Amino acid sequence: MKQYFTRGIFIALLTFLLGSSGYYLTSLETTLGLDTLFKIRGVRTPPSEVVVVAMDETSETRLGVGQDLTQWRSFHAKLIRQLQRQGADLVVFDLQFIASHLGQDQDLALAMRNADNVLLTDCLQKINAEDKEFSGREECSESNKQPPAGHEQQNEREASRSLVMRKIAPLALLAKSALDHAPFFLPNDAGNPTIREVWPFLDMFSQTPSLPVVAWLHYLQRNGGLAGIEQSGYPLSAWLTEQ
């Protein structure tokens, strides 16, 4: 009896040590390993073809729009027109245009249609059906904080009885006016601001490409980089998912 007990303790201890060492080595590879590789590579100059236009607190105060992002839409329309005059190939909004602003949606949609080079972001929302907890960037707007049964969204996939993943497209008017739209998912770890992974394709939605991949392909397409590749008339993101 004592022999069996000792053997059980040994197996449990060995399992614990192996599990702990695996976790430690994985963490070591993603911290020390990646950091070392980046240091060896050295600092690279950001590509001159890409410009980031940020929405900051100074602009928020000066424009008097507050924290309601729908209040920015008239300024976004002006931005699109200005970038069109300056010859921008693509305009990529890392924003979720889900909630409606009746006084500004039409103007923004018109600017998108005329430019024909605007990409928008889909929202990814994870819902714990048992305790109705939501997680996702900005919770996919206040209007989507409802139990899973209260939604009839497309592309909804239930990973388990208690977990639902949902992809929510932008407002229909804006989605139709944009060149394309796709989800942009980054791991959200408030305790570690360093981003060490990114999902170029989302297997939970039939390998849907993420926004950076879609933006890159549209850029290549507009600059002749996809010459010789036959693509049907529907959005490039849908075509790529089908491939």
Side-chain angles (χ1 to χ4, degrees):
M1 183 68 180
K2 184 178 179 180
Q3 182 180 2
Y4 288 115
F5 179 77
T6 303
R7 183 182 300 177
I9 292 295
F10 175 76
I11 293 175
L13 182 60
L14 181 62
T15 302
F16 171 77
L17 291 175
L18 288 175
S20 300
S21 62
Y23 176 80
Y24 173 76
L25 291 174
T26 301
S27 301
L28 188 65
E29 190 275 333
T30 57
T31 52
L32 179 61
L34 283 178
D35 289 345
T36 302
L37 288 175
F38 278 120
K39 288 179 180 178
I40 294 173
R41 186 198 70 176
V43 178
R44 289 188 176 183
T45 304
S48 59
E49 297 90 345
V50 180
V51 177
V52 177
V53 181
M55 299 165 59
D56 56 15
E57 293 182 2
T58 302
S59 301
E60 178 184 306
T61 302
R62 183 168 60 85
L63 298 175
V65 290
Q67 295 184 350
D68 181 3
L69 295 183
T70 64
Q71 299 289 334
W72 289 80
R73 294 196 180 164
S74 63
F75 296 104
H76 289 150
K78 293 177 183 178
L79 175 63
I80 292 171
R81 296 185 179 103
Q82 179 63 29
L83 293 175
Q84 187 179 11
R85 287 191 289 268
Q86 295 182 10
D89 287 322
L90 282 177
V91 179
V92 184
F93 280 101
D94 183 21
L95 293 171
Q96 299 168 0
F97 294 96
I98 296 173
S100 177
H101 189 299
L102 297 179
Q104 299 183 16
D105 291 343
Q106 291 287 348
D107 185 36
L108 180 57
L110 179 60
M112 288 182 181
R113 286 195 298 270
N114 291 337
D116 192 33
N117 67 349
V118 178
L119 304 182
L120 301 180
T121 305
D122 293 336
C123 176
L124 286 182
Q125 189 178 53
K126 183 189 295 183
I127 305 171
N128 188 322
E130 292 181 352
D131 54 18
K132 305 299 186 294
E133 271 194 14
F134 292 78
S135 62
R137 298 182 61 194
E138 297 138 19
E139 306 292 356
C140 295
S141 87
E142 293 289 337
S143 61
N144 289 281
K145 289 184 180 180
Q146 300 176 20
H151 286 276
E152 295 181 359
Q153 296 289 344
Q154 294 180 350
N155 301 311
E156 182 177 301
R157 178 174 178 176
E158 188 172 348
S160 67
R161 291 185 177 181
S162 61
L163 182 64
V164 174
M165 289 291 291
R166 177 184 299 134
K167 184 175 70 173
I168 303 177
L171 194 68
L173 172 65
L174 300 180
K176 291 178 181 178
S177 303
L179 175 65
D180 209 338
H181 56 91
F184 185 23
F185 179 83
L186 288 175
N188 184 15
D189 184 359
N192 184 7
T194 302
I195 296 174
R196 302 185 184 277
E197 62 180 276
V198 63
W199 291 6
F201 292 86
L202 303 171
D203 56 358
M204 73 281 290
F205 297 110
S206 304
Q207 298 299 329
T208 296
S210 63
L211 186 64
V213 175
V214 173
W216 174 238
L217 286 178
H218 274 288
Y219 178 78
L220 291 177
Q221 185 182 56
R222 287 172 174 262
N223 289 276
L226 298 184
I229 297 179
E230 295 184 4
Q231 183 236 328
S232 56
Y234 53 92
L236 192 58
S237 60
W239 172 82
L240 185 59
T241 301
E242 193 174 83
Q243 304 313 304

